Amino acid sequence: MINWKKSIAAFSAAMLAVTAMTASVSALEAYDPYSYDRWKDAVPSQVGYVAAYNVDGRQMGCEKLVEPTDMFLAADNLMYITDKAGEVEINGVKEKFPSRLIITDLDFKVQRIMTEFNYNGQTLTLKNPSGVFVSEYDNTIYIADTENSRVIHCDQDGNVFSLYEKPNSELYPADLTYNPSKVVADKAGNVYVVVKSVNKGAVMFNKAGEFLGFYGANRVEATAEVLSRYFWNLISTDEQKANTIKTTPIGFSNFDIDEDGFIYTVTESTDTDTDIVKKLNPRGYNIFNNANVNNVKFGDYPPAYYSIYTKETSLVDIDIGENGELNCLDFNQGRIFQYDKECNLMFIFGSTGEQLGSFKSPVAIESYEDKIYVLDSRKSNVTVFTRTDFGDIVTTATNYYNKGMYEEALEPWKEVLKYDGNYRRAYIGIGNALYNSGDYEGAMKYYKTAIARDRYDRAYEGYRGDYLRENFDTIMTVIIIVVILLLILSDRKKKGKLDFKRMFENMKREEVRLK
Amino acid sequence: MMDLTKGQWVKHVVTHPFEGFEDLRWKKGGSMKISWFIVFLLFFSVLAYNRMYGFQYYSSYDKIFNLVPYIFQSIIIFLTWVVANWSMCTLFDGEGTMKNIFINTAYALVPYIVGSLLCTFLSHSLIQDEYIFIQTISIITECWTVILLISGQKAVHQFTFGKTLALIALTIVAMVAILFLLVLVLTLFQQIAIFIMSIYTELSYRIRV
């Protein structure tokens, strides 16, 4: 009872401390930092990243960004930004800008601006491009030239190698538009193009520009509507079937490729939870389609806490960080969800609004070391986030943890708990370290706090084994005494009085009989 | 023959599923006190099962603790069963009185209560791989309770086996109806309470002005 009261007192003290801490942090940020607990409820947390500053076109040195659409950080640490054509007012003078590809360094100082491309002596211009990619293998540029219906593949000087245009194939319906919005290329030079009107996956070309097919389609979520449609299709005639709505998956909206050649896709839809984030191998198989990650809901759990609006998450861009973190950008709430490579939520930050660190129309995200860059197309600027001390410690601990170095992760995880007592993964991390060192009882305590049932079960198994081994003498003695007492009692019942001599005779007879 | 105390009758009935209730009926060995105690134990076992189960098997949502669902799952369901069974047996010419139905049902629940308490206890010393032991115990005790329930019904109403099964099925239907009406009545009273409250608020504002 006393123990119970104590723990309540401790809990309320901890809650007070947490509230005090977050109050001091949220004074700096345009939003309340939060995280999700074991029950998928939002709980106050610490910020992992803070908005340091933002850069607009004037500060970059290209007068003005009209409506930037995509941003890509290349292996040579240059930032490639695509910008739409348009007319903007600068100091009261209207000025016209063509569609541009702006190349800056990491401090966002413009290095080059590309508007014209040379294709076999012919000059090509861009028309509202919305995607750019630079291959890390040969440093060539791929531009999704959306309204010209082509993908341009060129070198750094603007000499075009080839154009990837609308496939002339039976697989690609002739009446379907082809407006490439995003593009990536793999090591072999295969090009993957996201086309908004195609929901079968990315349109895939080989290096020579031949159409290879579609890559990595999403699955259809088995909703009640889909199931009932499937059922009716079983019994309806061909004519009826032709008139029913087809069940089609939702096409993904953006992707990124990591060093090992895995392609990560995000799907913008708010109607489905299936395949929101995928990790595709070169054959188009989703590696995240496993028991662990299928349970992860990317983005906010509905209802979205910590905001007045309950808009659902709509992920528009994904970026793979240096340790394999997944940085997912939510368009609706202007939030960035950072997951580690095992898809465990690390941080949530960002919001919508006018202040630094909040967005109107975030479209692209990139990261470099401990910085995260977010491009806003309506604010026409780039916001730079830097990792906080708390973020550093969590990242260190997570990296050790994901490599299986639980002992090394112990100290960082303890440090994490000093900052944020709600950080569930820290309890699991400490539990794992204790479990590996054989301290099962300590591990049980931490697993219980983290509500990690299966891990607790394993720790308990170890604890029970140790306990039985250590107390074998006592337990056996107790059992023997109880057995003797029971024998005496049953004997007394039969005879009415205690008779040891007869009892031993009985026991002997029993032994003989057993032999 | 059969001069047992009230406590011993419980043991006799539970360990003799087929003639126990008949003996209980003719010897009038049932006790309301013990029955109420068993119903309380049922409540406690439901509570223990939901809140004190071993952590390696089940973790309850600790942010909210509400007794009402557990009271409903045990005491309310039990009383509804008794009332529904009594109302149905009058239509079927059953011989049971409300008191006898109450006693028989309560006694029949003893294995279930013991089983679920035992499982709750065992869940603290076993690991997930050994769940089969808990499962076995709970299946055996649940079957035992069902057998006792049927034989208790058969004895208290002096029915044939088939008629007993029909009665039990109809009892469940009646329970659903009763619970539905209960919810309806509760909502109605809630509406009336809200109505009176709003009149009071209205008047108190008027008087102040």
Side-chain angles (χ1 to χ4, degrees):
Chain A
M1 202 61 183
I2 295 161
N3 211 349
W4 180 69
K5 271 185 187 162
K6 254 189 195 168
S7 59
I8 283 204
F11 180 70
S12 37
M15 281 315 287
L16 271 179
V18 166
T19 340
M21 275 197 295
T22 47
S24 64
V25 170
S26 58
L28 293 170
E29 294 304 307
Y31 46 86
D32 289 329
Y34 68 100
S35 179
Y36 284 101
D37 70 4
R38 169 67 176 72
W39 291 292
K40 296 160 185 178
D41 292 336
V43 287
S45 180
Q46 292 284 325
V47 276
Y49 285 84
V50 283
Y53 57 94
N54 50 26
V55 196
D56 61 15
R58 192 180 51 80
Q59 288 159 325
M60 286 180 190
C62 65
E63 292 181 86
K64 184 94 181 171
L65 291 175
V66 181
E67 193 188 331
T69 49
D70 196 15
M71 175 171 72
F72 185 81
L73 179 64
D76 56 358
N77 291 341
L78 288 178
M79 197 68 96
Y80 293 72
I81 300 170
T82 51
D83 195 10
K84 279 190 182 178
E87 214 176 38
V88 281
E89 219 179 74
I90 300 169
N91 301 328
V93 184
K94 276 200 174 168
E95 210 166 322
K96 230 179 172 176
F97 289 103
S99 297
R100 294 174 293 176
L101 176 67
I102 298 157
I103 301 164
T104 73
D105 59 13
L106 275 178
D107 298 322
F108 291 99
K109 294 291 166 232
V110 170
Q111 304 291 310
R112 280 199 321 279
I113 296 178
M114 294 169 82
T115 50
E116 290 182 343
F117 301 87
N118 172 26
Y119 182 51
N120 298 338
Q122 201 182 338
T123 306
L124 303 178
T125 53
L126 300 173
K127 195 171 177 194
N128 294 343
S130 58
V132 60
F133 177 80
V134 180
S135 170
E136 63 176 303
Y137 305 105
D138 52 10
N139 213 21
T140 54
I141 307 170
Y142 296 83
I143 305 165
D145 193 2
T146 309
E147 288 181 20
N148 281 330
S149 300
R150 65 188 176 201
V151 171
I152 294 173
H153 180 205
C154 64
D155 66 6
Q156 291 286 337
D157 301 322
N159 298 315
V160 177
F161 301 122
S162 52
L163 298 175
Y164 300 94
E165 287 175 314
K166 184 172 178 178
N168 187 12
S169 158
E170 281 174 16
L171 285 173
Y172 199 96
D175 55 345
L176 209 58
T177 55
Y178 177 77
N179 293 114
S181 62
K182 303 289 168 194
V183 57
V184 297
D186 65 12
K187 198 176 177 176
N190 294 324
V191 182
Y192 307 86
V193 184
V194 172
V195 180
K196 282 263 161 71
S197 52
V198 173
N199 56 22
K200 292 173 188 160
V203 181
M204 187 181 172
F205 299 92
N206 68 7
K207 199 170 183 175
E210 274 174 64
F211 174 62
L212 294 181
F214 299 103
Y215 174 81
N218 283 348
R219 291 170 295 170
V220 178
E221 191 172 15
T223 57
E225 196 192 348
V226 170
L227 289 179
S228 78
R229 206 176 290 154
Y230 177 79
F231 173 75
W232 284 115
N233 268 349
L234 287 180
I235 52 172
S236 52
T237 62
D238 286 345
E239 204 174 324
Q240 283 169 326
K241 267 183 206 167
N243 288 325
T244 53
I245 304 165
K246 295 272 186 303
T247 306
T248 51
I250 295 149
F252 50 79
S253 52
N254 209 332
F255 47 20
D256 193 18
I257 189 164
D258 74 359
E259 293 162 359
D260 303 323
F262 290 105
I263 291 179
Y264 297 74
T265 70
V266 282
T267 302
E268 216 172 323
S269 169
T270 56
D271 301 335
T272 173
D273 287 338
T274 310
D275 289 345
I276 289 295
V277 174
K278 293 195 296 182
K279 179 183 182 179
L280 300 172
N281 73 0
R283 288 192 60 191
Y285 174 77
N286 181 12
I287 291 165
F288 281 165
N289 183 11
N290 59 42
N292 270 338
V293 185
N294 277 340
N295 284 328
V296 176
K297 162 117 175 57
F298 288 94
D300 276 318
Y301 288 97
Y305 286 87
Y306 281 79
S307 80
I308 311 160
Y309 312 103
T310 50
K311 284 179 195 164
E312 283 193 47
T313 306
S314 164
L315 300 178
V316 286
D317 195 10
I318 186 168
D319 170 72
I320 309 306
E322 55 166 352
N323 303 307
E325 299 104 341
L326 316 174
N327 301 308
C328 304
L329 183 63
D330 167 22
F331 182 83
N332 280 351
Q333 300 275 15
R335 285 179 182 150
I336 295 122
F337 295 87
Q338 188 178 55
Y339 298 87
D340 75 354
K341 64 177 176 187
E342 310 291 333
C343 294
N344 299 302
L345 180 64
M346 290 171 76
F347 309 110
I348 305 171
F349 53 98
S351 68
T352 47
E354 295 289 344
Q355 285 165 287
L356 175 64
S358 50
F359 312 105
K360 274 181 169 173
S361 173
V363 287
I365 184 167
E366 284 299 325
S367 68
Y368 176 70
E369 289 180 350
D370 61 349
K371 288 192 176 60
I372 286 180
Y373 309 95
V374 178
L375 180 70
D376 190 315
S377 72
R378 269 175 70 200
K379 282 186 167 181
S380 298
N381 64 13
V382 178
T383 305
V384 181
F385 287 89
T386 51
R387 199 153 64 204
T388 59
D389 291 347
F390 175 67
D392 284 339
I393 300 165
V394 173
T395 309
T396 317
T398 308
N399 287 344
Y400 279 132
Y401 182 88
N402 284 344
K403 282 175 196 152
M405 297 155 81
Y406 299 135
E407 278 78 13
E408 287 83 349
L410 180 61
E411 283 311 312
W413 280 132
K414 283 187 174 167
E415 200 66 24
V416 169
L417 284 187
K418 282 184 197 163
Y419 281 89
D420 181 3
N422 277 340
Y423 208 87
R424 175 171 178 247
R425 304 228 310 120
Y427 291 99
I428 295 178
I430 295 173
N432 277 6
L434 295 178
Y435 179 81
N436 273 17
S437 66
D439 179 5
Y440 298 124
E441 206 175 351
M444 276 162 67
K445 199 180 119 203
Y446 277 97
Y447 287 150
K448 201 166 185 173
T449 313
I451 317 187
R453 203 159 53 230
D454 293 351
R455 293 173 197 272
Y456 176 91
D457 185 56
R458 252 175 288 144
Y460 176 71
E461 189 178 4
Y463 169 74
R464 194 181 63 174
D466 281 0
Y467 184 85
L468 289 178
R469 219 167 293 129
E470 276 167 30
N471 299 297
F472 184 74
D473 311 347
T474 334
I475 292 166
M476 277 322 282
T477 319
V478 169
I479 289 176
I480 288 169
I481 290 174
V482 167
V483 167
I484 290 174
L485 278 176
L486 283 177
L487 280 174
I488 294 172
L489 280 178
S490 67
D491 204 67
R492 274 186 78 169
K493 237 181 183 173
K494 272 180 207 156
K495 268 272 173 176
K497 66 173 178 141
L498 208 53
D499 186 347
F500 279 109
K501 205 176 157 191
R502 198 179 41 75
M503 205 176 81
F504 281 118
E505 273 168 11
N506 278 353
M507 278 169 77
K508 262 183 204 162
R509 215 177 300 141
E510 193 77 356
E511 260 173 40
V512 170
R513 194 179 64 81
L514 283 176
K515 272 172 192 166
Chain B
M1 191 59 195
M2 288 281 181
D3 40 356
L4 306 170
T5 62
K6 300 283 182 196
Q8 281 168 328
W9 267 112
V10 180
K11 195 186 152 198
H12 177 78
V13 166
V14 171
T15 49
H16 298 75
F18 295 107
E19 71 273 21
F21 281 108
E22 293 287 347
D23 299 342
L24 185 80
R25 178 182 156 82
W26 297 119
K27 289 279 177 179
K28 296 194 170 42
S31 153
M32 275 306 271
K33 259 186 207 163
I34 291 178
S35 304
W36 271 112
F37 180 66
I38 291 171
V39 174
F40 173 75
L41 273 185
L42 174 70
F43 166 67
F44 180 72
S45 75
V46 167
L47 191 63
Y49 196 85
N50 281 286
R51 283 283 152 178
M52 290 152 78
Y53 215 68
F55 181 77
Q56 58 267 49
Y57 295 104
Y58 174 73
S59 45
S60 48
Y61 186 74
D62 289 342
K63 290 182 185 176
I64 298 168
F65 179 61
N66 190 358
L67 265 184
V68 174
Y70 307 127
I71 294 178
F72 180 83
Q73 279 173 39
S74 53
I75 298 173
I76 305 269
I77 290 280
F78 178 84
L79 293 179
T80 323
W81 164 272
V82 172
V83 172
N85 192 268
W86 178 78
S87 345
M88 279 296 143
C89 86
T90 46
L91 299 179
F92 271 71
D93 295 330
E95 288 180 17
T97 61
M98 185 90 97
K99 186 184 157 194
N100 284 343
I101 295 169
F102 191 100
I103 291 169
N104 279 25
T105 313
Y107 282 17
L109 284 175
V110 169
Y112 173 75
I113 294 166
V114 171
S116 81
L117 286 176
L118 195 64
C119 289
T120 311
F121 178 75
L122 277 181
S123 70
H124 285 272
S125 48
L126 298 182
I127 55 170
Q128 280 177 9
D129 294 345
E130 295 155 0
Y131 183 64
I132 184 82
F133 294 110
I134 291 180
Q135 214 170 14
T136 316
I137 291 174
S138 72
I139 288 173
I140 289 174
T141 52
E142 275 161 21
C143 290
W144 196 346
T145 284
V146 169
I147 292 169
L148 282 181
L149 208 59
I150 294 170
S151 115
Q153 287 291 311
K154 196 165 163 287
V156 77
H157 300 309
Q158 296 291 299
F159 278 173
T160 59
F161 183 71
K163 210 173 171 187
T164 313
L165 288 188
L167 177 71
I168 287 175
L170 280 172
T171 304
I172 290 166
V173 174
M175 277 171 79
V176 173
I178 290 174
L179 289 175
F180 173 71
L181 288 177
L182 261 180
V183 171
L184 216 63
V185 168
L186 274 179
T187 347
L188 204 69
F189 274 103
Q190 203 180 12
Q191 295 280 338
I192 292 172
I194 290 170
F195 175 66
I196 293 170
M197 279 294 286
S198 53
I199 287 181
Y200 170 77
T201 327
E202 184 79 20
L203 285 179
S204 64
Y205 277 128
R206 302 258 167 197
I207 289 165
R208 214 179 291 158
V209 175

